Structure formats: C-alpha cells, structure tokens
Amino acid sequence: MNQFVSVFDNNQFNAGFNPIDMVQTDDGSYIVLAEEKVTDTTEIPNIYLLKADKYGNFVKELEIGDSLINPVGHLTVVENKLYFFCMVSVVKANGKDARLASFDSNLDGFKTTNLNGITYPAAASYAGNQFVLLSYNIDDKLSVISTISAAGAVTKSKGYTVGEGDDSEEPILNHFLRTDKIFPFDVGLVAGGVYYFNGFYNYTFSLVFTNISDDEPMGIVAGYNDKGGFSAITPLSASKYAAARFNFGNNYLLPNTTITATSNATSTDANFKGYSLPELIPDTKVKILRATAKEKNILIYGADTQTRQIGLYFYNEADGTFMSSRYLGFSNPYQIGCMIATEDGGLAVCGTTYLAGRFPRICIFKLSKEEVASNVK
C-alpha cells in the first residue's frame, strides 16, 4: 500500500503516548520508539515500543515498565539491532544513570548497557560508526558530549558548564521531570570532525561546536536564556545548515543558512532571521528531513499548527526556496513526533493524536512517492 493513515488505540484509559522516533525495517515494517505516560503514577515517561507492518497494521507492542524512563532518539539500526538511550528510573537506585538499550526488529532480546557514570541523556545521533550523546552532569553542572560504541564503551567525553547556581539547572531538571518546557536538545557531527550540541551552555540554550577535547568550545551561537535558540538543526555541509529557531514563542524556519563553527554569534543575528510562520503554535517542535523527489534534493519541515494539524513545508535544498505546504490531520488534534523517508520514495510521519480530544495515541501518516512529488515545484 502506497499510502495510509493509522491510529493505534490502547486499552489503558489513563495512558498517553508520545512518539520519539521511527525506523522502517527491511520488510517495510515500522518500529516506533515512544514515551508512555501513565497519569496516576508519574509524569516522567516510561518506554514504549510499537511495531506496525508495511500497511500500517498493528503487529506488536513492548512496554518496558517503570524501571527505565526517558527514551532518547534517534532510534538507530546497527547490524540488525536497534538502539536508543534511556535512563534508570528516578525511583530506583542510581536513578539518574544513562543506559544504551538494544533489541531486534521483532521487539525481542531487549537489553541495556551501563554507560560508566553518564547521567541524564538528552539527545543522541549516530555518525562515524559510533553514537554521539549529549547528557547532563547534575553534580558538576555540565552539558556533556560523548562518543560511544555500540558495545557501550565511552571513547571520548567532555563537559561544558551550564552555569553556577540553582537557576542554571532548574530548566534542565524540569525538562527531565516534564514539569515545564521541553527543550529541543540535539547533538551530532559535521564535516571536518567537528561536533555540535544544542543545549545549555553558560546559562543559555545555545548551539555549541567542539572537538570533544579542548576545555573551551570552538564556537557558540547563543540563544536567549531558555526563551530563545535553535529548535532544529540539520547539517547540509561543513558550514551550510537547515535550521529552525524559537524566540519568545515565535518560530522561524531557516532552510539555507550559514553557521561558522569557529566563531561566536547569537541566534537573533540578522543572518538567522529566517521565515516567520504565525500559523505555528508558540515554540513548536520542529522536525527536518532531507529527501529526494523529482530528482531534486529537498527539505521537509514538520511542525504543529494553530489548527492542531501537522504542517509540512517543502523547500529546495540547493537554495532554500519555498515549494509548497500541506497539512495532515482531521477531526481530532494532531502533533508531530518524527518523519522518515520510506523505501518506496514516500514519506512517513509519526505523531500523536487525541482520540475524543483527550486520549493521546500514536498515529502514522504514510504518503506515497507521488504525493511527495506533487509538493515539489
């Protein structure tokens, strides 16, 4: 089937689901990594895994329980195993400790590996045959960037101050406790062996570049305390990026912007002005996907709209020109979780919908290759 819309109901009246990431397996099936919140127990999310077949039909689910919490994408496939990061429940001993979790495409063989003192994982990616992890050290008040093997060995690690005093760590801990703003933490590798993380540095939510060696960052694009910064960042080359930023509730899309890793700037500088979209909800979650359609390299932005739909915005990667937009969702409210390009040249968007306006459930929109191409001008 080239296209479908699936909503996955659940018999737990008091449970809600928020997808983090999704991958497509070799047989065309979809595996979703999600948070599960059970409202009468804790607001800190447990881990939930869902498998659907290539037609969007439910196959299997796996609920990890309350011993592990806070699943962190990306969900990554390495040698037929799937990996993601999480942490031990705060109600257990050593509740802040991070774990690398793995399982197979049938949701079997789930296990975790201790990461030798790394705590509070916030974001992860996979580059250069290793994981790159952003975490938070609560004792020393550091944003920590690390490289980690699939076996769980920490090969490099470096911490950078978030600032002294309780005020510096309050928004970070509230993020993990889910009691206030959820921040768009991110981490990765760009050309030339330069790493970056989108997180807190020196009291401010900032984009920080580092070689994971020197005591000081190579360069910084500072936001404004916890009220402004980048909401998404995708490297296109050594200095070109597709990005989005937030600033006191306003949202700006930057499909073709230059960021120099070795200089300092602020996210409100003129060259980061971007396109303002008032139709988006304040400080919306933004996802960016690089894809190909009609023999063109394109960028697809996904975000949440004021009408409670998922907005998709198509840009030409070469020059950042806008192509078209389309909207997913009907009847019930919808929120974006993640997007992937599918093996048949289409697009799959995973999100949350609210059945009867109140029960958060996982949904998948599958767009055909032809539907994606119709948005490319």
Side-chain angles (χ1 to χ4, degrees):
M1 185 182 297
N2 289 330
Q3 59 191 64
F4 61 78
V5 179
S6 295
V7 176
F8 302 91
D9 202 358
N10 189 281
N11 59 11
Q12 296 186 77
F13 178 85
N14 60 343
F17 303 89
N18 175 39
I20 302 298
D21 203 6
M22 177 172 65
V23 298
Q24 189 175 27
T25 61
D26 291 340
D27 65 356
S29 298
Y30 300 90
I31 296 179
V32 179
L33 169 67
E35 297 178 339
E36 178 184 12
K37 290 184 181 180
V38 181
T39 56
D40 60 358
T41 57
T42 178
E43 286 298 308
I44 302 175
N46 298 333
I47 299 166
Y48 178 82
L49 295 166
L50 169 75
K51 181 173 182 176
D53 66 18
K54 62 182 178 181
Y55 305 110
N57 300 310
F58 175 86
V59 174
K60 189 177 181 180
E61 67 179 359
L62 179 62
E63 295 177 283
I64 305 303
D66 63 358
S67 61
L68 296 168
I69 59 173
N70 185 38
V72 172
H74 297 287
L75 184 58
T76 303
V77 181
V78 182
E79 296 182 353
N80 299 318
K81 285 189 177 182
L82 292 89
Y83 294 84
F84 66 92
F85 290 88
C86 58
M87 60 186 279
V88 177
S89 172
V90 293
V91 300
K92 308 292 182 180
N94 298 318
K96 58 190 178 181
D97 289 350
R99 297 286 190 271
L100 176 61
S102 63
F103 59 98
D104 65 27
S105 60
N106 292 316
L107 309 191
D108 294 327
F110 184 89
K111 70 174 186 178
T112 63
T113 303
N114 192 354
L115 298 178
N116 294 326
I118 291 181
T119 58
Y120 290 101
S125 64
Y126 190 78
N129 297 318
Q130 59 187 346
F131 295 100
V132 188
L133 178 68
L134 173 65
S135 61
Y136 175 58
N137 181 327
I138 190 173
D139 296 324
D140 297 325
K141 296 183 180 177
L142 300 173
S143 289
V144 180
I145 182 170
S146 308
T147 57
I148 300 169
S149 73
V154 179
T155 54
K156 286 194 291 187
S157 190
K158 191 68 179 179
Y160 297 94
T161 181
V162 302
E164 298 297 325
D166 294 340
D167 290 345
S168 66
E169 69 178 13
E170 182 178 1
I172 302 173
L173 293 181
N174 286 341
H175 166 94
F176 287 104
L177 295 172
R178 297 298 192 264
T179 55
D180 205 340
K181 181 178 175 64
I182 307 301
F183 289 96
F185 292 113
D186 202 358
V187 67
L189 174 68
V190 297
V194 176
Y195 295 85
Y196 69 89
F197 70 83
N198 200 40
F200 280 90
Y201 173 74
N202 198 21
Y203 303 99
T204 300
F205 193 76
S206 303
L207 177 63
V208 178
F209 294 93
T210 172
N211 56 14
I212 320 185
S213 177
D214 294 341
D215 291 337
E216 297 297 326
M218 297 171 61
I220 304 162
V221 183
Y224 189 91
N225 295 335
D226 61 349
K227 301 298 190 296
F230 285 105
S231 48
I233 188 82
T234 297
L236 304 179
S237 67
S239 59
K240 287 289 185 180
Y241 294 79
R245 66 179 182 90
F246 66 99
N247 191 59
F248 289 89
N250 296 315
N251 303 287
Y252 305 88
L253 306 187
L254 300 88
N256 189 316
T257 190
T258 299
I259 304 176
T260 303
T262 55
S263 63
N264 295 334
T266 65
S267 62
T268 55
D269 287 352
N271 56 315
F272 299 135
K273 183 177 180 181
Y275 303 112
S276 176
L277 296 181
E279 68 183 71
L280 302 181
I281 66 169
D283 292 347
T284 182
K285 177 190 288 186
V286 178
K287 295 295 179 178
I288 304 173
L289 177 67
R290 300 178 76 181
T292 302
K294 287 186 176 179
E295 299 183 349
K296 291 183 179 180
N297 294 326
I298 63 172
L299 299 167
I300 307 173
Y301 280 70
D304 297 330
T305 71
Q306 300 277 8
T307 57
R308 298 306 185 258
Q309 295 174 294
I310 296 173
L312 300 180
Y313 306 92
F314 295 77
Y315 292 87
N316 188 324
E317 182 180 311
D319 57 11
T321 55
F322 176 73
M323 293 179 171
S324 66
S325 60
R326 69 183 298 156
Y327 302 89
L328 307 178
F330 46 86
S331 178
N332 300 312
Y334 288 82
Q335 296 173 334
I336 193 166
C338 57
M339 301 186 295
I340 61 170
T342 57
E343 61 181 10
D344 61 0
L347 172 70
V349 181
C350 187
T352 301
T353 187
Y354 290 79
L355 297 184
R358 56 186 295 204
F359 302 110
R361 299 294 184 257
I362 294 171
C363 62
I364 298 176
F365 292 87
K366 168 63 171 64
L367 278 64
S368 68
K369 178 179 180 179
E370 292 73 22
E371 285 181 292
V372 174
S374 70
N375 290 278
V376 176
K377 311 301 181 184

